[in-house]
Amino acid sequence: MNKPPGPDRPESTEPDPEYATVQMKANAPTRWEVPSWRLTVMEGKQRGVTFPCPIGTSVIGSAASSQICLQDPTVSRVHAELVVQHDGAILRDCESTNGTFVEEVRVRDADVREGNRIRVGATMLRVERSGEMLVAELSSNDSFGEMVGRSPAMRAVFSVLERVALTDATLLIQGETGTGKDLAARAVHESSRRAEGPYVAVDCGAIAETLFESELFGHVRGAFSGAMSDRTGVIEEADGGTLFLDEIGELPLGLQRKLLRVLETREVRRVGSNRSKRVDVRLIAATNRPLTAAVNAGHFREDLFFRLAVVMVELPPLRQRRSDIPVLARHLLTRLTDRQVALPAEVIASLASRGWPGNVRELRNFLERGLSLGWAGERVPGDPKPIPAGLDELVPTHLPLKEARLVWMDQFDEIYLGALLRKTGGNVSAAAREAGVGRRFLQRAMKRIGWSERSRPSDSG
């Protein structure tokens, strides 16, 4: 099958099987049939009781709010999760006290099949499939806001986000780092009735613990040392719009109760004030680590977790939707350059074969680096591909190939990190997010180069 000519491809008679795998068909199905699952108690106080498991995530625990609530004191309040997907079911332990076992083998994350026995605490459950099929709605669109995907997994996510955008329901977005949780939150806001209102995004992982309360709730003059004037908190700033709390798991335990009160009363009180103000805010929270584990560890309030998870969406990692990589790469390239760039078939094959632990953010950074160095894409014929000025001066040609390669990589780390820190104004946390790595990883890389926190490059450097 030949790809039709377009902005990223000239006329060609060469077959392109990669393009065929990502082309959206006009009659693409909008419904996704998934085998139905259930858990039946084989041993324990509730022997004989059957719990249906709908599409998505079901919490197994002793908490009354759990979808699979077990009357067993040896079961943690949030013990495990069963995730029903189109191709099977996944069982995840939530760092429970007594562990989760499949066929007497302790597991953290495991695929389960029909007939498997699951033991949590003193309760034994059996995985069963009924003869019925569950139906998941798929969006007819291959994008939602800045998110792009043609795989059934992403279109199922788009379907949920499109519907929840029409409501004011609190939304909890989960997913690995770099999967696009911030893009999902903004797209929900822009598709909602609140689109004309403010959209306020806060990274809870980048706020000093002593400033959290003032950042969220604001303060009045004289509330504490240094409070020279009244300050509006982000909750008030988002009045009439949407508040996005990224990395909600970093919120200090003492403030979680206050946030829960705001969600229940729709009122906010500034630090040092004795008067409350009514606010109309839609809350979207996100986390790259399961909040259920934080609940069991006592680091996150159980009541706040269930209050946030009115609607819960998990963004799939890139490795679980490899068919989206070619079209996603083309989409990202259009955002990175104003020139027409085509991806050679060998580059597409290479992209699809990678693991991408940093997900979409890592893919974007990979393409951006490739464009800068001239090897990620090929400009259309007739437009020569020059070598960036000064690049050959960096190549240590006086060394043998193997040694030169090591020196080149050291130089690349310094150049890349320097450019990234200048781009973020010297903000290490922001630079780590851009690079798709943890802050500590970036700090270690800086230390290896010989930079300190104070000597790092910034906009003025």
Side-chain angles (χ1 to χ4, degrees):
M1 179 176 180
N2 293 336
K3 185 197 302 185
D8 65 342
R9 183 175 174 88
E11 289 282 359
S12 173
T13 57
E14 294 296 321
D16 187 356
E18 292 289 343
Y19 183 71
T21 64
V22 300
Q23 190 174 29
M24 174 68 81
K25 298 180 180 179
N27 60 347
T30 57
R31 293 165 68 86
W32 195 11
E33 289 193 344
V34 179
S36 60
W37 297 81
R38 64 190 181 194
L39 294 179
T40 299
V41 179
M42 307 302 296
E43 298 177 12
K45 185 177 180 179
Q46 296 163 278
R47 182 174 181 178
V49 175
T50 295
F51 297 94
C53 303
I55 298 170
T57 302
S58 296
V59 175
I60 304 172
S62 58
S65 303
S66 302
Q67 288 87 350
I68 302 174
C69 181
L70 300 177
Q71 300 171 16
D72 183 345
T74 62
V75 170
S76 298
R77 296 189 62 77
V78 181
H79 197 105
E81 294 177 334
L82 185 70
V83 184
V84 175
Q85 301 176 330
H86 73 288
D87 55 354
I90 298 174
L91 181 69
R92 297 174 182 160
D93 181 71
C94 297
E95 298 186 15
S96 59
T97 301
N98 295 321
T100 300
F101 298 78
V102 177
E103 300 297 339
E104 302 305 327
V105 176
R106 187 165 185 168
V107 299
R108 294 184 181 275
D109 190 321
D111 293 328
V112 291
R113 300 179 179 180
E114 183 177 11
N116 281 161
R117 294 171 301 166
I118 299 172
R119 180 163 62 83
V120 289
T123 301
M124 181 75 75
L125 305 111
R126 184 174 63 198
V127 179
E128 299 176 343
R129 287 174 57 175
S130 66
E132 301 178 354
M133 298 293 287
L134 302 176
V135 177
E137 297 294 331
L138 301 183
S139 173
S140 58
N141 302 309
D142 59 4
S143 66
F144 184 65
E146 287 295 312
M147 304 174 71
V148 173
R150 296 174 177 176
S151 63
M154 284 305 294
R155 290 171 56 213
V157 169
F158 294 161
S159 177
V160 174
L161 295 178
E162 288 166 354
R163 284 178 286 167
V164 76
L166 302 178
T167 73
D168 278 339
T170 304
L171 173 64
L172 177 61
I173 305 173
Q174 298 191 111
E176 296 179 8
T177 181
T179 50
K181 298 183 288 295
D182 51 341
L183 296 181
R186 182 174 289 276
V188 168
H189 169 74
E190 293 176 348
S191 301
S192 72
R193 67 175 182 84
R194 298 175 176 269
E196 299 300 320
Y199 174 80
V200 181
V202 179
D203 183 356
C204 296
I207 303 176
E209 188 168 352
T210 55
L211 300 178
F212 254 116
E213 188 168 14
S214 176
E215 183 74 16
L216 288 181
F217 304 104
H219 62 254
V220 298
R221 179 180 179 182
F224 50 83
S225 178
M228 306 302 294
S229 61
D230 291 358
R231 184 185 187 281
T232 302
V234 294
I235 297 177
E236 281 189 68
E237 288 181 16
D239 190 20
T242 302
L243 175 63
F244 174 51
L245 294 181
D246 196 8
E247 299 308 331
I248 186 70
E250 302 296 327
L251 189 66
L253 195 60
L255 291 184
Q256 293 174 22
R257 178 180 58 82
K258 294 185 177 182
L259 178 61
L260 179 62
R261 180 174 177 79
V262 172
L263 292 175
E264 292 176 341
T265 65
R266 299 296 172 178
E267 292 183 345
V268 63
R269 179 181 297 182
R270 295 185 182 182
V271 178
S273 175
N274 56 5
R275 302 175 63 180
S276 297
K277 179 182 178 180
R278 191 79 177 171
V279 290
D280 175 24
V281 175
R282 197 261 184 86
L283 179 64
I284 301 177
T287 176
N288 66 3
R289 54 182 181 138
L291 287 183
T292 48
V295 170
N296 280 337
H299 300 149
F300 202 85
R301 292 179 63 98
E302 177 189 314
D303 48 2
L304 179 57
F305 166 72
F306 285 108
R307 183 65 181 80
L308 293 174
V310 174
V311 178
M312 187 161 54
V313 172
E314 183 160 353
L315 302 184
L318 199 52
R319 63 183 177 275
Q320 292 182 4
R321 55 182 189 107
R322 293 184 184 276
S323 63
D324 284 337
I325 291 178
V327 69
L328 183 57
R330 293 186 177 100
H331 170 77
L332 292 172
L333 282 173
T334 63
R335 296 293 187 269
L336 292 170
T337 178
D338 57 358
R339 301 182 67 92
Q340 295 181 4
V341 178
L343 281 174
E346 60 271 19
V347 174
I348 292 178
S350 175
L351 295 179
S353 66
R354 291 171 174 259
W356 303 112
N359 295 294
V360 180
R361 183 184 294 120
E362 183 185 358
L363 174 61
R364 181 189 183 281
N365 292 338
F366 179 89
L367 293 172
E368 187 171 11
R369 290 195 298 270
L371 286 172
S372 300
L373 299 175
W375 47 258
E378 294 180 349
R379 291 177 174 85
V380 296
D383 189 3
K385 181 176 64 176
I387 297 176
L391 183 62
D392 54 348
E393 298 178 4
L394 299 175
V395 181
T397 54
H398 62 286
L399 297 174
L401 176 61
K402 292 183 179 180
E403 296 178 21
R405 182 182 290 116
L406 295 175
V407 173
W408 173 268
M409 291 305 298
D410 287 340
Q411 291 177 326
F412 171 78
D413 286 351
E414 184 171 350
I415 294 170
Y416 174 70
L417 292 178
L420 198 59
L421 287 166
R422 282 190 290 272
K423 178 180 178 182
T424 60
N427 187 313
V428 177
S429 295
R433 289 194 298 274
E434 286 283 336
V437 299
R439 177 186 171 90
R440 291 184 179 178
F441 180 90
L442 201 65
Q443 288 173 325
R444 288 195 296 270
M446 292 170 61
K447 183 177 181 180
R448 185 175 65 252
I449 294 170
W451 295 341
S452 66
E453 288 282 327
R454 294 184 178 179
S455 67
R456 63 188 180 229
S458 64
D459 282 332
S460 59

